[in-house]
Amino acid sequence: MPLVESLPITENTAQWPVWGTTARIVVTDPRRLAAAVVLVRHELAAVDTACSRFRPDSELRRACATKGGMRVSPLLADLVEAALAAAEQTGGDVDPTVGGILAGLGYDRDFAAITGRPAAPAIRVFPAPDWRAVSLNGDRLTVPEGVLLDLGATAKAAAADRAARTVTTRLGVGVLVALGGDIATAGDAPEGGWRVLVQDRPGDPKCTVRLPAGTALATSSTQSRRWSPGLHHIIDPRTGRPAPDVWRSASVAAWSCLAANTLSTAALVRGHRATAMLATVPSRLVTATGDVLRLGGWPA
């Protein structure tokens, strides 16, 4: 999980647990930290209410259970649109219709509550996923019967982008918002840029990079969210099983966290084919044996 090198937590940084990971914000003006925390917490709460797969009262769960579709909030419409765009961009590698498969494999609640549980039988409880079967027409969302959407591959990254933009717009400060491996920045950066230590797991290869103002970084991993042997949260939609462990992690830099996460997730699904996709994108792949492959100008 990328870590952010910054001033001590009491000066310009705050963090708290959320969504089975850690939310961390850094601001360029420590006097605005408390207000920034309020704004980010509010944004994350709104996203959770809109699209959590684990909350029976979430808007997304209600939409998945409503035959014939339903009108949804602008926030959920934006998040679903982002997920469908990611699916189209990656040729279906990042597919939001894998929620049923994840639940069937045992990932049916917040990650912190499932670690160490026995593996669930590998049974397709839901129809085979296909993002093209989901319809979003304006604010009307229609999900095929029996399909459970999971926006985890895109919504957390989109939430980081949204939260960073909100803080800068409302408070006029530079900010970095990190939600686990999803990092977004907005406004002015500290002198020399935002220093980010990229390392997925303790003992994994690490490096420090500097993010210019307004850029983002996402790291996706086949190691960080494992709840049973052989089971992790990066699903290959074509097989309905966790993607093979060709890469331990994939890190991508882009102008938005959503764009970066779309590519980093697709890289893990594509395995060896990821290098062609990332050839011109600043990216860093860590192999199953811990070797590092740098692409697209990623610093040595």
Side-chain angles (χ1 to χ4, degrees):
M1 177 184 300
L3 304 175
V4 181
E5 295 184 351
S6 63
L7 297 177
I9 238 177
T10 53
E11 289 193 38
N12 68 338
T13 307
Q15 67 180 39
W16 62 93
V18 67
W19 300 339
T21 188
T22 299
R24 183 176 175 93
I25 66 172
V26 188
V27 293
T28 54
D29 183 350
R31 297 170 298 178
R32 310 301 284 166
L33 179 61
V37 169
V38 171
L39 291 174
V40 173
R41 282 185 176 273
H42 183 269
E43 187 67 44
L44 300 188
V47 170
D48 192 62
T49 299
C51 72
S52 173
R53 180 167 60 86
F54 310 123
R55 292 180 53 161
D57 64 338
S58 74
E59 191 179 8
L60 180 70
R61 288 285 296 272
R62 286 188 282 113
C64 290
T66 301
K67 293 182 179 180
M70 62 175 268
R71 297 184 65 180
V72 298
S73 67
L75 174 56
L76 182 56
D78 285 347
L79 295 173
V80 171
E81 183 178 26
L84 296 178
E88 182 174 18
Q89 177 187 344
T90 61
D93 288 329
V94 182
D95 191 322
T97 66
V98 298
I101 291 174
L102 284 166
L105 292 174
Y107 192 3
D108 56 359
R109 62 197 71 187
D110 188 86
F111 184 73
I114 67 170
T115 306
R117 290 175 57 187
I123 299 174
R124 284 284 186 92
V125 180
F126 292 88
D130 188 343
W131 63 275
R132 289 164 294 191
V134 178
S135 171
L136 180 64
N137 186 7
D139 64 353
R140 188 166 191 82
L141 174 62
T142 305
V143 181
E145 186 174 357
V147 171
L148 176 60
L149 295 184
D150 177 82
L151 305 188
T154 53
K156 184 157 68 73
D161 286 330
R162 293 174 62 94
R165 287 196 301 267
T166 297
V167 170
T168 293
T169 300
R170 297 281 295 275
L171 303 180
V173 296
V175 63
L176 178 149
V177 176
L179 303 177
D182 293 320
I183 297 175
T185 72
D188 294 333
E191 184 176 355
W194 298 100
R195 290 174 55 85
V196 177
L197 174 64
V198 182
Q199 183 182 38
D200 179 43
R201 304 286 292 169
D204 281 1
K206 60 184 178 181
C207 71
T208 299
V209 298
R210 293 178 180 268
L211 296 181
T215 59
L217 174 70
T219 294
S220 298
S221 168
T222 58
Q223 307 300 311
S224 295
R225 288 183 179 250
R226 284 180 175 264
W227 58 96
S228 291
L231 296 181
H232 59 76
H233 73 301
I234 305 295
I235 299 296
D236 184 340
R238 293 163 183 79
T239 65
R241 298 289 299 168
D245 294 343
V246 173
W247 311 112
R248 289 182 63 84
S249 63
S251 300
V252 176
W255 289 104
S256 76
C257 193
L258 176 60
N261 186 274
T262 296
L263 292 175
S264 64
T265 301
L268 298 184
V269 174
R270 293 192 183 190
H272 294 294
R273 296 182 296 116
T275 55
M277 176 183 69
L278 298 177
T280 61
V281 179
S283 50
R284 176 181 184 264
L285 300 171
V286 179
T287 70
T289 56
D291 295 322
V292 176
L293 178 62
R294 300 174 182 85
L295 301 166
W298 186 278

